[in-house]
Amino acid sequence: LETRITASVKELGELLQKVGGGGAPGAPQPPAHHEADEVLRPLMDILDGSLTMYAESCEKTVLKRLLKELWKVVMKILEKTVVLPPMTDKTMMLKNLTNNAKTWQQMPR
């Protein structure tokens, strides 16, 4: 299940990158809740099927524990894949750290 969640979160991230205020000025924009539904669709499809199966086959206490663990897995994958994308260029990481340190030093105290 974790590999399927990872794949769906990657798809979610790609869809999220496409969403935004882009487009021609004055052009009608779809409502935000429609965009949110579309972005979350890959993840929700997997979770909906899995959770339905678990709800039918598990007792309440086991289901509760399973949901907590599943939540942790989903949040960890979301954080790694969407929120904190990896920086592959080490020189870019060092440059960003250096720039951030210089900016911090220049801040009035």
Side-chain angles (χ1 to χ4, degrees):
L1 184 61
E2 191 168 339
T3 56
R4 291 181 17 205
I5 291 173
T6 302
S8 69
V9 168
K10 286 181 182 176
E11 186 179 347
L12 180 149
E14 292 168 4
L15 291 171
L16 188 60
Q17 288 178 345
K18 294 177 185 176
V19 173
Q29 296 289 326
H33 67 276
H34 290 302
E35 289 181 332
D37 287 344
E38 188 60 30
V39 167
L40 290 172
R41 182 189 42 76
L43 181 61
M44 295 310 294
D45 288 345
I46 288 176
L47 292 178
D48 185 40
S50 300
L51 294 176
T52 301
M53 180 187 70
Y54 296 144
E56 292 172 354
S57 61
C58 295
E59 65 180 53
K60 191 174 181 177
T61 55
V62 174
L63 180 62
K64 186 176 178 180
R65 180 174 287 174
L66 188 62
L67 289 175
K68 283 182 180 181
E69 291 302 315
L70 188 57
W71 177 258
K72 288 177 190 176
V73 168
V74 169
M75 288 297 107
K76 181 180 76 172
I77 293 170
L78 272 171
E79 182 179 80
K80 287 182 178 179
T81 307
V82 177
V83 178
L84 302 171
M87 295 184 77
T88 55
D89 186 6
K90 293 184 192 261
T91 58
M92 186 59 122
M93 282 192 329
L94 184 59
K95 182 181 176 192
N96 286 341
L97 284 172
T98 305
N99 288 343
N100 289 341
K102 286 178 184 176
T103 304
W104 183 74
Q105 285 178 340
Q106 294 171 356
M107 293 174 68
R109 293 189 175 114

